[in-house]
């Protein structure tokens, strides 16, 4: 393993943090490449739980370098809080490096996120309110502020003054909202930057040297394939490329360096926020999954919508990410069900398709076509090998591999590091 990309194959919260932490033991560098603190990655180490939003899940090993890539949008206040929270828990963040090309989330982005959401009314996306969309909007509009600007106070002053002026006019005209004081903001952001400015560097060079030296890099995706700005359930998506291609554009590492792409797949499906979700269960089974799986958002605490596994989604994820392996998580949550359903196709206007449609209306009206498999009564949480899993569990996993055409390389049966079954084919 030299370069491995880890992505979410569904709508986020698949357990990317757990899988990244598990694989990080064998890596030298762990890099995030898109998104910001909209992500919430929970990692359990022994008795301690860590909720990571910006910092890669490799930080819990003292000897790893952890990179915040150029494709990310970073809120300086959230970054300082996270670094301090980790240090308070005894985790060293000395290995953290921040791309000089990463964009900044500033207070006006958060205000705009709130106001834009409120103005969408019934069509709201259900964003995390962290300013993600407005920050990526500024990036595409070529008016964003970057980490490199923090290293040059006069450049920072000039750009921030112009940006605040433009944003204040927009806030007033569009929302009748109050603006911001540019000088006060400048002082606050530059003071925050003092806490991390020595970590800002050209992380593209760092990664390229790491790879040239034959060391191992893990790329940790945030969100999931169906939240991708291009490939997701648009417009109910986030504002970045969450899919494997984002690992290249978001770090400055070329695609020929990537050896493997592991899709993290929850053994059922969840979604937070609005947007179509064909296999959603608004019944007792959905509630059971939510309670047993503790499906409440890491970032916002919102209850996650729950449903059966959807292999139309997974086949799509396998294709757009070029998956080489699947890491199945939260299998233990399915223990004790009499039968388990897998969605194998969508019936849309009387026709069955196995390709994920672009049209929002098509996904909204899609009727899932299910296959029913026997469940298992045994508890899977103690299994440490494939053979120790109940026969019906193995059958369920084999069927997922069949339907997606991607081998299963990791099976997670609980949140702890020890509750992880690794298949020989992984290495
Ligand atoms: P991420 O955003 O993809 O990293 O996922 P989250 O951390 O938001 O949500 C996954 C949740 O499931 C976390 O609370 C994990 O501790 C937990 N988790 C991960 N793998 C397993 C597993 O195999 N079984 C159970 N029961 N919980 C798991
Ligand atoms: P991790 O990395 C699940 C969802 C939000 C909303 C949409 C847009 O923990 O899997 P945004 O704030 O990004 O503009 O919101 O995307 N969303 C997530 N859902 N897991 C996440 O991250 C998410 N990050 C954003 O709920 O529907
Ligand atoms: Mg999460």
């Amino acid at each position: 393993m030299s370069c491995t990309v880890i992505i979410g194959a569904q709508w986020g919260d698949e357990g990317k943090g757990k899988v990244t932490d598990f694989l990080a033991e064998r890596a030298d560098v762990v890099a995030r490449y898109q998104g910001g603190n909209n992500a919430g990655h929970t990692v359990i180490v022994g008795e301690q739980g860590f909720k990571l939003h910006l910092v890669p899940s490799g930080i819990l090993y003292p000897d790893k370098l952890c990179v915040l890539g150029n494709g990310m949008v970073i809120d300086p206040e959230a970054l300082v809080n996270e670094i301090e929270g980790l240090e308070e828990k005894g985790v060293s963040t000395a290995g953290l490096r921040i791309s000089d090309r990463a964009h900044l989330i500033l207070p006006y982005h958060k205000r705009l996120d709130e106001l834009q959401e409120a103005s969408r009314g019934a069509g709201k996306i259900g964003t995390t309110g962290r300013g993600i969309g407005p920050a990526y909007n500024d990036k595409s509009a070529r008016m964003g502020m970057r980490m490199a600007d923090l290293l040059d106070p006069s450049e920072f002053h000039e750009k921030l003054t112009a940006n605040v002026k433009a944003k204040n006019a927009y806030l007033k005209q569009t929302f009748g909202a109050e603006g911001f004081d540019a000088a006060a903001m400048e002082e606050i952001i530059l003071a925050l930057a003092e806490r991390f400015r020595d970590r800002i560097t050209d992380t593209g060079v760092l990664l390229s040297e790491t790879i040239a030296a034959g060391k191992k890099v893990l790329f940790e995706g945030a969100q999931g394939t169906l939240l991708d700005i291009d490939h997701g359930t648009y417009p109910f998506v986030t504002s970045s490329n969450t899919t494997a291609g984002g690992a290249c554009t978001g770090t400055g590492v070329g695609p020929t360096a990537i050896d493997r792409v592991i899709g993290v797949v929850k053994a059922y499906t969840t979604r937070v926020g609005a947007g179509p979700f064909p296999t959603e269960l608004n019944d007792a089974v959905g509630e059971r999954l939510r309670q047993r799986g503790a499906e409440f958002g890491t970032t916002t605490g919102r209850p996650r919508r729950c449903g059966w596994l959807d292999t139309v989604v997974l086949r799509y994820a396998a294709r757009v990410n070029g998956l080489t392996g699947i890491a199945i998580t939260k299998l233990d949550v399915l223990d004790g069900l009499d039968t388990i359903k897998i969605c194998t196709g969508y019936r849309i206007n009387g026709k069955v398709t196995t390709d994920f449609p672009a049209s929002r209306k098509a996904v909204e009206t899609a009727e899932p076509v299910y296959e029913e498999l026997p469940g298992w009564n045994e508890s899977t949480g103690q299994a440490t090998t494939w053979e120790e899993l109940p026969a019906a569990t193995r059958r369920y996993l084999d069927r997922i591999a069949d339907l997606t055409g991607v081998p299963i390389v990791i099976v997670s049966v609980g949140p702890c590091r020890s509750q992880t079954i690794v298949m020989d084919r992984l290495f």
Side-chain angles (χ1 to χ4, degrees):
M1 139 170 146
S2 176
C3 284
T4 300
V5 179
I6 295 168
I7 58 96
Q10 295 152 317
W11 276 280
D13 302 326
E14 296 90 350
K16 298 173 293 294
K18 162 164 179 176
V19 172
T20 303
D21 167 75
F22 182 80
L23 291 176
E25 193 183 358
R26 291 168 178 254
D28 298 288
V29 180
V30 184
R32 277 274 309 268
Y33 54 87
Q34 43 68 233
N37 61 327
N38 49 347
H41 297 178
T42 310
V43 179
I44 311 285
V45 182
E47 301 289 295
Q48 257 188 322
F50 298 89
K51 291 180 191 303
L52 300 163
H53 300 284
L54 286 165
V55 175
S57 301
I59 201 72
L60 304 174
Y61 297 88
D63 57 335
K64 313 294 176 197
L65 279 182
C66 284
V67 166
L68 304 187
N70 59 273
M72 291 185 73
V73 284
I74 301 171
D75 177 343
E77 192 186 347
L79 179 60
V80 168
N81 285 341
E82 193 161 330
I83 290 174
E84 284 182 352
L86 284 166
E87 297 279 353
E88 271 164 25
K89 282 188 160 183
V91 176
S92 165
T93 60
L96 192 65
R97 300 289 180 275
I98 304 163
S99 168
D100 46 11
R101 291 169 173 82
H103 278 249
L104 298 177
I105 296 182
L106 291 165
Y108 46 78
H109 293 126
K110 290 182 266 188
R111 176 81 56 84
L112 282 170
D113 196 355
E114 275 166 36
L115 292 168
Q116 285 168 350
E117 268 290 90
S119 74
R120 287 185 186 113
K124 75 175 168 54
I125 297 166
T127 71
T128 59
R130 300 297 190 267
I132 305 295
Y136 277 115
N137 205 26
D138 276 4
K139 175 178 173 177
S140 320
R142 295 164 290 187
M143 58 194 290
M145 310 233 359
R146 306 199 294 177
M147 283 288 169
D149 298 326
L150 290 173
L151 302 179
D152 183 341
S154 67
E155 178 96 357
F156 186 73
H157 171 80
E158 207 174 296
K159 287 189 184 167
L160 189 73
T161 309
N163 266 306
V164 170
K165 195 172 164 201
K167 289 294 183 292
N168 283 353
Y170 180 69
L171 281 165
K172 192 167 175 206
Q173 278 160 21
T174 311
F175 301 105
E178 225 178 284
F180 290 88
D181 179 327
M185 191 185 297
E186 183 176 339
E187 200 183 318
I188 292 170
I189 301 299
L190 287 177
L192 286 166
E194 281 310 306
R195 319 286 285 277
F196 58 78
R197 60 180 292 147
D198 54 335
R199 301 155 188 268
I200 302 174
T201 184
D202 189 334
T203 51
V205 171
L206 184 156
L207 287 167
S208 139
E209 287 172 358
T210 303
I211 295 165
K215 293 187 180 167
K216 295 172 183 138
V217 182
L218 267 187
F219 297 86
E220 178 182 13
Q223 290 81 52
T225 299
L226 273 295
L227 289 171
D228 184 282
I229 185 77
D230 284 281
H231 304 290
T233 42
Y234 194 87
F236 299 99
V237 293
T238 190
S239 299
S240 64
N241 281 117
T242 61
T243 43
C248 295
T249 54
T251 58
V253 170
T256 47
I258 309 294
D259 304 295
R260 310 187 298 182
V261 183
I262 297 179
V264 184
V265 172
K266 200 178 276 189
Y268 47 97
T269 313
T270 62
R271 171 164 207 173
V272 212
F277 176 2
T279 63
E280 182 168 16
L281 293 168
N282 290 308
D283 62 7
V285 180
E287 191 51 38
R288 183 182 192 279
L289 292 173
R290 186 172 306 113
Q291 295 306 330
R292 270 193 69 103
E295 296 295 355
F296 298 89
T298 309
T299 299
T300 55
R302 290 177 290 178
R304 296 173 180 153
R305 300 156 66 193
C306 297
W308 294 118
L309 190 75
D310 184 339
T311 62
V312 179
V313 163
L314 299 187
R315 278 162 41 90
Y316 182 56
R319 172 162 62 80
V320 301
N321 293 291
L323 294 187
T324 58
I326 283 178
I328 288 274
T329 61
K330 306 195 87 159
L331 190 60
D332 52 301
V333 175
L334 298 181
D335 293 353
L337 288 169
D338 291 337
T339 55
I340 297 173
K341 288 184 183 174
I342 302 186
C343 169
T344 57
Y346 295 158
R347 185 170 288 107
I348 302 168
N349 292 330
K351 269 197 179 157
V352 174
T353 177
T354 54
D355 290 322
F356 197 86
S359 148
R360 169 179 165 181
K361 215 177 213 170
V363 187
E364 272 168 0
T365 55
E367 246 180 78
V369 177
Y370 286 118
E371 189 175 292
E372 208 160 322
L373 272 78
W376 54 90
N377 266 319
E378 301 91 326
S379 133
T380 54
Q382 312 303 320
T384 55
T385 62
W386 175 262
E387 290 71 27
E388 281 170 32
L389 289 170
T393 315
R394 281 182 269 144
R395 204 172 139 198
Y396 181 62
L397 297 176
D398 281 338
R399 189 66 186 129
I400 296 169
D402 274 357
L403 286 163
T404 55
V406 183
I408 290 175
V409 292
I410 289 176
V411 181
S412 172
V413 292
C416 303
R417 282 178 180 166
S418 59
Q419 293 175 299
T420 316
I421 301 171
V422 179
M423 310 301 288
D424 289 342
R425 58 177 88 97
L426 176 65
F427 299 111

